[in-house]
Structures are given as structure tokens and as C-alpha cells.
Amino acid sequence: MKSLTRLLAATALTLALGSAASAKTLVYCSEASPEGFDPGLYTAGTTFDAASRTVYNRLVEFKHGSTEIEPGLAESWEISEDGTEYTFKLRPDVKFQTTDFFTPSRTLNADDVVFSFERQLKSDSPWNQYVAGASWEYSSGMGFPDLIKSIEKVDDLTVKFTLARPEAPFLADLAMDFASIMSKEYADKLKADGQESMLNQQPLGTGPYQFVAYQPDAVIRYKANPDYFKGKQKIDDLIFAITTDASVRVQKLKANECQIFPYPNAADVDSLKSDSNLEVMEQEGLNVAYMAYNTTQAPFDKVEVRKALNMAINKQAIIDAVFQGAAVPAKNPIPPTMWSYDDSIQDDPYDPEASKKMLADAGVTDLSMKIWAMPVSRPYMLNARRAAELMQADLAKVGVKAEIVSYEWGEYLEKSKAKDRDGAAMLGWTGDNGDPDNFLDTLLGCDAVGGNNRAQWCDKEFDDLVKKAKATDDQAERTKLYEQAQAVFKKQAPWLTIDHSKVFMPMQKSVKGFVQDPLGYHRFDDVDIAE
């Protein structure tokens, strides 16, 4: 109760300090703390909501509520006939934010674009390891260091990317959060002052809102960027009130202490829908929840053991208990709403007796393992602890003793990447760009081992298929290759695929203009609140 009181007090204090009486304030009850504020360093949606979707822009953007690309900081672009050169023309006169901690002397130019990418791609960049152990999970996991041969400043407003090979999803990749454009001038000033770490603590970009302050694990405060190139936002003060307990988020919404929040418990959805002051948006999620076995560690290095454990777990029971039916069992690593999904794939059946026999035939007896359970609600897994408890009980029925472990969210994400991690880690994914590559290569490709590939699974047949698929822009051919890749995945079983869930977004009816996004974004540009 003390933590709740402290959080509410911190939020109230921030609101009191933050706004004049006439200013419009929107409070978003976010589900967890960000890992940091440099989008290139991370992959979690919580972090992106707090950084890239508020403070930053990218060369190209996704239209609200869509996977369609539109101009961002680049007003136009040209792609060479062979698909290996992308030339972007930047918008003129785009201003970086002026804050209490930095006043820019110039507008956006090509130097900022080159800096934003080269720090992720070049190990000899002075900014490559400005955060100790930086792995640049997205750019490295997607093979960008090998894909991008060069990024050239043609002139102040023109940038050319030269690729080593054609890459069908490249333009969509540049709309993703890790590709946010930062101010080189701000970075240079921080370096000159010996304050490089502040790039990850005090973000500064061109986006709709500018960062004001962060009280860890309590509140983040932003204000509208008066110089935003698309026009100043109608919300003057945007507050992220960090509220990890979904039941508390419900209480705060009903009391109008926050106006919008994500990931309600399934049991609360009906009561939220029946409240005349509230609206509850919903859509099918472009997501998957899974449990990744560490395929480099015995006995999980054996396919038959992974298959046996999959058959021990009753996924429908998890869906009934955690989602109350607002999800479907997953059999593939991509959701059924995505093109190239292969519905002909046969799932591992729930069959405890067959599971026991398969474990015995594999010589596995008295197995003890760890199930890693996420500490926060995610769209694809609302209550990981409850799901883990059900898995634990199912595994006990086949003679497997499972211990449930968890950590603070940022620590969980970091520790679960370790190549020597024990047991099986529960995680999930919401698509970032609407392309199957964003699931299949980003989460399961060999380049992502030690990063997003929590199964540490590098299968040459699978990897060759997904690499070949993104080297052509023929969608029919790509579909055929991705279907083959799904078959390899199912045969090798590096994951227990758990569910694809619906996503609910409750809010006060006073909130106007919020668009539920298929990519799982929580964006507050173009949002208003009625007086």
C-alpha cells in the first residue's frame, strides 16, 4: 500500500507543479518503467512508449492505426532499380526541442541521420558503447551491420543508404523505434562535458512531446513541443504515471486519476465496458506469447525433450484463466492476422501420457527446470505469474519439477538474453512493422542469438529461408519461404507457442483522437481531451 500511496502522491505533485489552470493534461497509467530513453538500445514497447513515440521521429513513420508507411523526417525518397540504394530528402527547417538542459543552434540535417545509425552499426564509433554492454539488439539482431554498407551525407538535406543486398522490409524497418533520429549536436555537447550517459536519461528529439523529468518507477513528465513540425499538440502536459498493478490501473481510471491505460486484467474488462464514463477499445493483436527453451543447454538441446514439454502444457487452460477466452492458442511464431501465416501447421497436442513416454524415451528422468515469468502485464500475456503456475502444475503431472523465477522488468529482459540462461523464459512480441520478418528473423534468426533470440536457436535451414525471403520483394515467393520456415520451426520446437491475444484499451470518454494501433503503439500525438 505504501508504494501505491507514494506513486499517487508523486503523480499528484507532478500534476500540481506541471500545469497552469488552463493547460490540458492527460495522464496515462503506464504498466512499467522504461529501461532508458535511447530507443536504439532496447526492444520493449514500454520503453518505446516513453521515448521514441513521444520525443523522437524517424525518417519514415507508420500512419496512425496502420502498417502503411508515410513521410516522417524525410519528405520523399528514391529507391534504385536493384533495391540497394535508398536516397532520402529531409524536410527543411525541422527544429530539435529546446529544453532546460539543451538549446540547439541548428535545425535537423544529414549529420543527425548518419550519427543516429552509425553509432549502432560501427563498433569503433565513440558512441557504440556509451552504455556499458550496449548490444543494439534491434539493429544487430536484424543484421543491419552487415546489410548497410554505407550511410552517406550527400548534402545537408540528403542522405543515401547503400545496402549490401536487396532487403524487402528495409523501408518499414526504418519506421521502427530503434531508427529514431537523434541530435548529433546534443550528443557532441554531452561528450564534450563528459556526460554521455545523459543521452539515455534526458532524451531530446524532434517529436510531438519533449521530456521534462523522470522520477524512477513513479512518473515521467512531458510537455508539448511548441516547435513540432506537424504543429503543437492539443495536450499541453503529458504524464506517464507508472502503475504496475493492473487492478490499481482500473481504480485510477475509474477515479479519473488517469484517463487511459493499457492491459487490463481480463476479469475487469466487462466492468470497464459497463461504466458509462468509459470507453474500451479492442482489436485482434498482432502478437504472440511464447516460452523460449534455451536450446544450447541440456536437456533442452534435444528436440524430443522440447516437444515432450510442449505436450505437457494445457494452453487452452492458460487462455481460459488468464484471458477468459480473449485469446487463441498459438501454434506458429507469427499471428494468424499476418500474411504468410500457415494454418495447415499441426500444433503439438496436449497429451500428458505421450509427454511422459517421450521424456522417458529420451532418457530424461527427475528433470528440474526454471520457468521465467515476466513481472509486468503485456498485451500477449496479462498475468505471466498465473500462466507459469498453471505450467508448473502441468509439468508436475509428467514428473517435471518447475521453479518459477522473476526479476524487475529491465533486469528480466537483460538476464533472459544470456546465452547460458537456465530453463525456459516466458516472453512475447507485438509486430513492429507488419512484416513476417519482424517475427521470424528478429526473434529466431541466427543474428539475434544473444539478443532477441531468447531460445539461442540457430538453425541453418530456418535461417537460410528467412534470409532468402527478405531478399526478394515478390510477396508470393516470400510467403512460400515463410511457410517453409514455419514448418521448420514447428519441427524443431525452440518455443512453446502459447497464445495470440486480443488487446483492450480502456479510457475516459473525454479522451478524443486516440487510435488503437495494430503494432501495439501507445501514441499521444493528435490526441485531445475534452474540457
mmCIF file of all heavy atoms in Angstrom, residues 3 73 95 177 202 336 387 420 487:
data_model
loop_
_atom_site.group_PDB
_atom_site.id
_atom_site.type_symbol
_atom_site.label_atom_id
_atom_site.label_comp_id
_atom_site.label_asym_id
_atom_site.label_seq_id
_atom_site.Cartn_x
_atom_site.Cartn_y
_atom_site.Cartn_z
ATOM 1 N N SER A 3 3.672 1.716 -1.546
ATOM 2 C CA SER A 3 4.139 2.059 -2.890
ATOM 3 C C SER A 3 3.043 2.748 -3.691
ATOM 4 O O SER A 3 3.297 3.672 -4.463
ATOM 5 C CB SER A 3 4.630 0.808 -3.627
ATOM 6 O OG SER A 3 3.581 -0.104 -3.768
ATOM 7 N N LEU A 73 10.568 12.426 -41.050
ATOM 8 C CA LEU A 73 11.584 13.471 -41.196
ATOM 9 C C LEU A 73 12.077 13.558 -42.634
ATOM 10 O O LEU A 73 12.620 14.585 -43.038
ATOM 11 C CB LEU A 73 12.746 13.203 -40.235
ATOM 12 C CG LEU A 73 12.395 13.310 -38.744
ATOM 13 C CD1 LEU A 73 13.593 12.922 -37.887
ATOM 14 C CD2 LEU A 73 11.909 14.712 -38.394
ATOM 15 N N LYS A 95 13.001 21.617 -36.392
ATOM 16 C CA LYS A 95 13.724 22.046 -35.194
ATOM 17 C C LYS A 95 13.813 20.915 -34.158
ATOM 18 O O LYS A 95 12.862 20.174 -33.945
ATOM 19 C CB LYS A 95 13.016 23.232 -34.547
ATOM 20 C CG LYS A 95 13.043 24.498 -35.396
ATOM 21 C CD LYS A 95 12.333 25.637 -34.670
ATOM 22 C CE LYS A 95 12.375 26.925 -35.496
ATOM 23 N NZ LYS A 95 11.691 28.040 -34.798
ATOM 24 N N ASP A 177 11.132 1.873 -34.003
ATOM 25 C CA ASP A 177 11.586 2.762 -32.934
ATOM 26 C C ASP A 177 13.107 2.896 -32.853
ATOM 27 O O ASP A 177 13.625 3.976 -32.570
ATOM 28 C CB ASP A 177 11.040 2.263 -31.599
ATOM 29 C CG ASP A 177 9.523 2.222 -31.599
ATOM 30 O OD1 ASP A 177 8.941 1.240 -32.088
ATOM 31 O OD2 ASP A 177 8.909 3.184 -31.122
ATOM 32 N N GLN A 202 18.170 11.871 -20.493
ATOM 33 C CA GLN A 202 17.461 13.102 -20.830
ATOM 34 C C GLN A 202 17.345 13.188 -22.347
ATOM 35 O O GLN A 202 18.169 13.788 -23.021
ATOM 36 C CB GLN A 202 18.209 14.328 -20.292
ATOM 37 C CG GLN A 202 18.182 14.442 -18.776
ATOM 38 C CD GLN A 202 18.823 15.726 -18.283
ATOM 39 O OE1 GLN A 202 19.789 16.224 -18.861
ATOM 40 N NE2 GLN A 202 18.287 16.270 -17.206
ATOM 41 N N PRO A 336 -2.117 -15.199 -36.635
ATOM 42 C CA PRO A 336 -2.960 -15.570 -37.779
ATOM 43 C C PRO A 336 -3.444 -14.375 -38.589
ATOM 44 O O PRO A 336 -3.931 -14.553 -39.711
ATOM 45 C CB PRO A 336 -4.135 -16.310 -37.133
ATOM 46 C CG PRO A 336 -4.115 -15.957 -35.702
ATOM 47 C CD PRO A 336 -2.700 -15.627 -35.362
ATOM 48 N N ALA A 387 0.068 -17.774 -15.438
ATOM 49 C CA ALA A 387 0.350 -18.728 -16.516
ATOM 50 C C ALA A 387 1.458 -19.694 -16.107
ATOM 51 O O ALA A 387 1.385 -20.905 -16.362
ATOM 52 C CB ALA A 387 0.732 -17.987 -17.783
ATOM 53 N N ASP A 420 23.859 -18.467 -21.486
ATOM 54 C CA ASP A 420 23.894 -19.571 -20.530
ATOM 55 C C ASP A 420 22.687 -19.560 -19.587
ATOM 56 O O ASP A 420 22.705 -20.212 -18.542
ATOM 57 C CB ASP A 420 25.191 -19.551 -19.723
ATOM 58 C CG ASP A 420 25.352 -18.262 -18.912
ATOM 59 O OD1 ASP A 420 24.535 -17.326 -19.092
ATOM 60 O OD2 ASP A 420 26.304 -18.183 -18.110
ATOM 61 N N ALA A 487 7.281 -24.387 -40.868
ATOM 62 C CA ALA A 487 7.319 -25.854 -40.738
ATOM 63 C C ALA A 487 8.594 -26.296 -40.022
ATOM 64 O O ALA A 487 8.558 -27.199 -39.166
ATOM 65 C CB ALA A 487 7.213 -26.503 -42.117
#
